[in-house]
Amino acid sequence: MKIKSICCIGAGYVGGPTMAVIAQKCPDIKVTIVDLNESRIAAWNDSNLENLPIYEPGLADVITDARGRNLFFSTDVDKAIDEAQMIFISVNTPTKNYGVGKGMAADLKYIELCARQIARVSKHDKIVVEKSTLPVRTAEAIKNILDNTGNGVQFQILSNPEFLAEGTAVQDLHNPDRVLIGGENEEAISALFDIYSNWVPKEKILTTNVWSSELSKLTANAFLAQRVSSINSISELCEKTGADVSEVAKAIGMDARIGSKFLKASVGFGGSCFQKDILNLVYIAKSYGLHEVADYWEQVIIMNDHQKNRFSQNIIKTLYNTVSGKKIALLGWAFKKDTNDTRESAAINIAQNLISEQANIAVYDPKVSEKQIKLDLLDLDEKQMDLINVSQDPYEACSNSHAIAILTEWDEFNTYDWKKIYNNMLKPAFVFDGRNLLDKKQMIEIGFTYIAVGSSNL
Ligand code: UDX
Ligand code: UDX
């Protein structure tokens, strides 16, 4: 079967870039991305590429290549489903915040809504592809809904998890380490295989059974997050002993069996996937009675929460046990550099902790809007909200502050005139570097009291 038309439901951080690259690389396939959110679709269609709903290096070029040619963004979900031979489901699957599995299980209500809509609208046979990260055996549920509520149309279900990381999404999509396709029906698998083989070397396209594919995605994220929690746990030990976590990471990373990536100590991992997927894994293990397995993975999250909390506690302790009325500048709000995404960002937790101690917070992030920062802090009351100021200028954010905390590893922070920043701060001038980003020696020479994660000032 040769695919000529694709529909993707969900124009988010996953659906948007993934489908844009498929359209760019397969000019003969019409790709329509649909979303319930009208303003999001309007932003994808905006002629000013600065207004795309997500910031991702290289994405504007991909959109320029394909939009209007064979890539379309629309809110007419029914029409796009009807026209497509292959439908990707790329809607969000947040952690459930109610009922059974609250705080752990994935909320699949949007997935189910999509399946029911596909079943209602479809008049011809279709391949349905799970792009969203889903708990193991979700494909079975989707198939059940499609087969029992459809109009006698045949559906094939494939699992095709996305491994792109935000900030490097376009690069990851152009040159993936691997593409994973889980399925049972050979014809459906080869239809999707043919799409990717337009630009991905065939030996990098892996086919497995559906359950292996679904579980591989959760496992990949769990392993990556585990590495971050592992190095973060060592960072605390380094601070107590005089070892330096960057040196330890370099030394262990040169062991080919360990590898050098994902060994950067930090303020704690964030992002929409790590916590959600591990909680999901923990929930699945528990539901099979595998308590040791569940406890093992849960510890990765416990460690991450500890890392975020101890960073803010250290600021409070160092500033003579009180930050009440003091100005603290937070540089960076996104969960990592090169994205405007703030989901589960450590900055949120750190700001909340400092505000609960009545600190005045000034935030600067090169890509995150003031509106988003305020949305992330909706849990605060009105009085606490007054303690937060968002600045468009890093020098203004840092001016007259008692301390600066680096929370995201934006490259531009390294280019600042730190002498000027120092001169405009209260003394002693503290910098808490949550990303080990700045040059320690230079910062100390300028006069800062410089405190970095995972290194002691012993
Ligand atoms: C999300 C999850 O984070 C990831 O784990 C999963 O693999 C894919 O979905 P992301 O693209 O980052 O990834 O989510 P988000 O940016 O929230 O985009 C989802 C989009 O789906 C939103 O724009 C939302 O409006 C849309 N949506 C949701 C629908 O169009 N219909 C629905 O029924 C539900
Ligand atoms: C992750 C996976 O990498 C990706 O394959 C999957 O599809 C979605 O989840 P993402 O969340 O976009 O991608 O970013 P990632 O680069 O994995 O970083 C996650 C968090 O870990 C960030 O907060 C980052 O700052 C942190 N991190 C990462 C560290 O603290 N140290 C590191 O060494 C690496």
Side-chain angles (χ1 to χ4, degrees):
M1 188 201 296
K2 192 142 178 56
I3 301 295
K4 287 276 173 206
S5 62
I6 288 177
C7 156
C8 171
I9 310 179
Y13 283 89
V14 171
T18 311
M19 293 301 128
V21 167
I22 291 183
Q24 182 195 35
K25 298 290 185 184
C26 310
D28 297 337
I29 302 177
K30 179 180 175 188
V31 180
T32 308
I33 312 183
V34 293
D35 202 296
L36 293 176
N37 184 334
E38 286 180 16
S39 61
R40 208 164 212 191
I41 290 297
W44 280 113
N45 280 323
D46 200 309
S47 54
N48 181 355
L49 293 169
E50 295 273 313
N51 294 335
L52 292 180
I54 65 177
Y55 171 71
E56 198 54 74
L59 182 61
D61 294 340
V62 181
I63 297 291
T64 306
D65 281 356
R67 195 174 60 185
R69 178 187 72 182
N70 63 327
L71 175 66
F72 302 93
F73 295 91
S74 163
T75 50
D76 193 344
V77 184
D78 282 6
K79 180 163 175 272
I81 291 175
D82 182 36
E83 282 178 4
Q85 295 161 283
M86 183 177 268
I87 300 168
F88 287 80
I89 303 183
S90 196
V91 297
N92 41 333
T93 51
T95 305
K96 257 184 108 175
N97 58 6
Y98 57 89
V100 177
K102 180 177 172 182
M104 285 210 150
D107 192 341
L108 299 180
K109 73 175 171 214
Y110 301 127
I111 299 283
E112 177 163 346
L113 284 172
C114 287
R116 288 187 186 279
Q117 192 166 9
I118 295 168
R120 179 171 55 75
V121 172
S122 297
K123 299 198 245 352
H124 311 284
D125 294 355
K126 292 187 194 303
I127 299 170
V128 175
V129 186
E130 301 174 349
K131 212 21 140 174
S132 305
T133 306
L134 295 169
V136 190
R137 305 201 83 91
T138 307
E140 208 165 42
I142 297 180
K143 178 130 187 71
N144 232 307
I145 292 168
L146 290 172
D147 287 349
N148 289 300
T149 53
N151 318 317
V153 170
Q154 290 292 312
F155 294 101
Q156 298 300 335
I157 318 288
L158 297 176
S159 159
N160 173 222
E162 189 48 71
F163 294 103
L164 67 81
E166 287 171 33
T168 52
V170 173
Q171 196 182 312
D172 295 344
L173 285 160
H174 281 161
N175 289 306
D177 285 348
R178 78 323 206 166
V179 168
L180 186 54
I181 302 176
E184 275 147 27
N185 180 285
E186 289 301 327
E187 203 189 356
I189 293 174
S190 78
L192 188 54
F193 190 102
D194 288 348
I195 292 174
Y196 283 109
S197 59
N198 279 306
W199 77 97
V200 180
K202 289 191 170 47
E203 61 279 9
K204 287 194 172 178
I205 309 177
L206 214 66
T207 57
T208 64
N209 77 36
V210 180
W211 326 125
S212 301
S213 169
E214 289 178 339
L215 186 58
S216 298
K217 170 71 191 204
L218 294 183
T219 307
N221 276 345
F223 269 61
L224 290 168
Q226 182 198 41
R227 282 175 69 97
V228 179
S229 272
S230 295
I231 200 71
N232 281 343
S233 75
I234 298 301
S235 76
E236 188 170 17
L237 195 55
C238 288
E239 288 162 26
K240 294 281 181 243
T241 57
D244 183 315
V245 78
S246 303
E247 291 177 353
V248 174
K250 188 167 181 195
I252 65 163
M254 284 171 77
D255 185 326
R257 294 167 302 175
I258 296 174
S260 60
K261 292 182 182 155
F262 270 74
L263 286 178
K264 276 216 169 80
S266 64
V267 275
F269 61 72
S272 72
C273 288
F274 279 4
Q275 172 154 317
K276 165 174 76 72
D277 290 353
I278 294 176
L279 286 173
N280 214 323
L281 195 63
V282 169
Y283 183 71
I284 293 168
K286 276 193 182 152
S287 68
Y288 285 103
L290 308 177
H291 299 292
E292 290 78 5
V293 177
D295 290 350
Y296 178 77
W297 288 107
E298 191 164 18
Q299 196 59 36
V300 173
I301 300 210
I302 294 171
M303 189 62 227
N304 196 48
D305 288 340
H306 173 64
Q307 188 76 353
K308 292 188 277 190
N309 285 331
R310 81 181 187 86
F311 186 82
S312 41
Q313 289 314 317
N314 192 31
I315 295 179
I316 297 162
K317 199 177 102 206
T318 311
L319 297 184
Y320 318 107
N321 286 313
T322 174
V323 289
S324 177
K326 292 182 180 169
K327 179 179 176 185
I328 300 177
L330 305 185
L331 294 186
W333 191 263
F335 80 98
K336 62 188 282 194
K337 74 171 179 178
D338 290 340
T339 178
N340 61 345
D341 194 351
T342 66
R343 287 177 289 179
E344 305 294 338
S345 179
I348 301 171
N349 183 286
I350 289 160
Q352 281 168 338
N353 284 349
L354 294 173
I355 287 172
S356 72
E357 291 290 329
Q358 301 179 350
N360 287 306
I361 300 294
V363 186
Y364 168 78
D365 186 288
K367 289 289 174 197
V368 180
S369 67
E370 174 164 2
K371 188 172 154 223
Q372 183 59 51
I373 293 170
K374 299 252 160 99
L375 271 176
D376 290 336
L377 294 171
L378 271 187
D379 286 348
L380 299 181
D381 61 36
E382 223 171 285
K383 225 167 131 208
Q384 289 177 316
M385 266 308 195
D386 288 342
L387 295 174
I388 188 119
N389 268 296
V390 179
S391 192
Q392 302 305 317
D393 173 32
Y395 294 94
E396 181 193 277
C398 295
S399 153
N400 285 320
S401 65
H402 292 251
I404 297 170
I406 313 270
L407 303 185
T408 312
E409 73 283 24
W410 286 104
D411 293 336
E412 69 167 59
F413 297 164
N414 254 316
T415 66
Y416 292 171
D417 181 346
W418 283 99
K419 181 98 191 100
K420 179 173 153 191
I421 292 175
Y422 175 80
N423 288 339
N424 290 329
M425 281 177 72
L426 297 177
K427 308 294 174 332
F430 293 94
V431 169
F432 296 86
D433 189 343
R435 297 284 184 169
N436 271 317
L437 186 73
L438 304 174
D439 184 331
K440 180 175 182 172
K441 200 165 148 256
Q442 194 193 347
M443 295 300 279
I444 292 171
E445 267 167 25
I446 291 173
F448 284 107
T449 305
Y450 177 75
I451 298 161
V453 158
S455 77
S456 76
N457 291 333
L458 291 175

